[in-house]
Amino acid sequence: MRLHDPSALQETLTYKKNPEREIDMFSQALQRINNGQRVLFLEQLVIYKNLADYLKGEVVHDAGCGLGIGTNILDKKCFASGSDVSEKNIKIAGGFFPEVHFFRWDLKEKNKAAYENLLAIEVIEHIEDVPLIIENLLLACSKRLFLSTPNRNNLRLGQDKPINDFHVMEYTPSEVLELIGDHEVILRDPFTFEKVGTSSEATPMIYEVLK
């Protein structure tokens, strides 16, 4: 399977990428709690709740799960597991939610398992080598892959580079579809979960990739 290289997209843009940076998610979560904020952003919370309803009763794996809060939401209605590149995150997630299985998975490496439904919620914007990441995700799912990522069609996002220093690159829907390649993809609004087109400004955009 050959996926498109985002460097080809970059050549036609003045858009600049940020360097990939490691996030201390536990410290970040504590800071948000101390500031009286929820740990998950509202958009992430809604996405996980919508996916839990949509995939009710199905097997779901949450790749790039961070501290496992979204995975736990999924597990209320699905048979969910989670993985993250950070051993620290996995240990914390397992401590918070011991009934959910968590393990380490670096998405730049292949996973021999095959999950019916594989999720990567707010993940690809944080990582270099996105074509490799998407290829590995597609190889590890047998039914559907769900991606969500900021939608650069929305003018609230930085148009010359990501405003969020932890985002390597943010994409338009057309760019994400180019990265996914020859698969049927349904674009969904994060709040209504209704189907939308590539011109939509809904952010983060959800991409339901059908195998």
Side-chain angles (χ1 to χ4, degrees):
M1 174 173 48
R2 184 177 179 82
L3 299 177
H4 298 280
D5 187 340
S7 62
L9 302 173
Q10 283 288 102
E11 291 176 359
T12 63
L13 299 171
T14 56
Y15 191 79
K16 298 178 181 178
K17 297 195 295 184
N18 288 323
E20 185 175 328
R21 298 174 61 188
E22 185 176 350
I23 306 173
D24 185 341
M25 298 194 74
F26 187 63
S27 297
Q28 191 178 74
L30 288 179
Q31 183 178 7
R32 290 183 63 79
I33 291 169
N34 287 333
N35 291 337
Q37 300 170 306
R38 58 170 62 90
V39 175
L40 283 186
F41 290 104
L42 176 61
E43 293 89 346
Q44 292 173 295
L45 182 65
V46 172
I47 287 171
Y48 274 111
K49 287 183 174 180
N50 281 334
L51 286 170
D53 289 335
Y54 186 61
L55 299 171
K56 184 176 180 179
E58 297 193 40
V59 176
V60 178
H61 183 73
D62 186 20
C65 68
L67 303 179
I69 299 170
T71 319
N72 186 58
I73 293 171
L74 293 167
D75 196 55
K76 300 300 183 186
K77 296 185 177 181
C78 308
F79 299 97
S81 58
S83 62
D84 198 87
V85 67
S86 166
E87 285 283 2
K88 180 180 178 180
N89 288 349
I90 292 306
K91 289 179 181 178
I92 293 170
F96 282 153
F97 313 110
E99 68 282 4
V100 180
H101 176 56
F102 295 98
F103 61 91
R104 185 182 180 278
W105 178 18
D106 183 345
L107 295 178
K108 295 176 183 178
E109 301 171 357
K110 289 182 172 58
N111 187 333
K112 295 180 180 179
Y115 303 97
E116 288 183 16
N117 301 287
L118 186 54
L119 281 58
I121 306 302
E122 306 302 282
V123 171
I124 66 170
E125 66 270 18
H126 293 279
I127 308 176
E128 293 276 10
D129 302 323
V130 172
L132 174 63
I133 302 301
I134 292 177
E135 181 175 357
N136 288 342
L137 288 168
L138 286 168
L139 286 172
C141 72
S142 60
K143 190 175 180 181
R144 287 172 294 199
L145 169 64
F146 292 87
L147 303 172
S148 80
T149 191
N151 175 7
R152 209 172 75 247
N153 279 352
N154 192 302
L155 296 180
R156 290 188 292 111
L157 301 182
Q159 296 302 299
D160 57 344
K161 65 176 294 187
I163 296 172
N164 188 328
D165 290 339
F166 291 99
H167 288 186
V168 174
M169 182 173 176
E170 294 168 346
Y171 302 89
T172 66
S174 296
E175 289 168 346
V176 174
L177 294 179
E178 181 76 7
L179 288 166
I180 292 170
D182 298 328
H183 291 273
E184 182 180 351
V185 183
I186 300 170
L187 280 61
R188 295 188 181 276
D189 183 286
F191 292 99
T192 66
F193 212 63
E194 294 179 353
K195 296 179 183 180
V196 294
T198 55
S199 62
S200 171
E201 296 182 9
T203 190
M205 182 70 78
I206 300 172
Y207 302 85
E208 179 180 356
V209 187
L210 307 179
K211 290 294 294 286

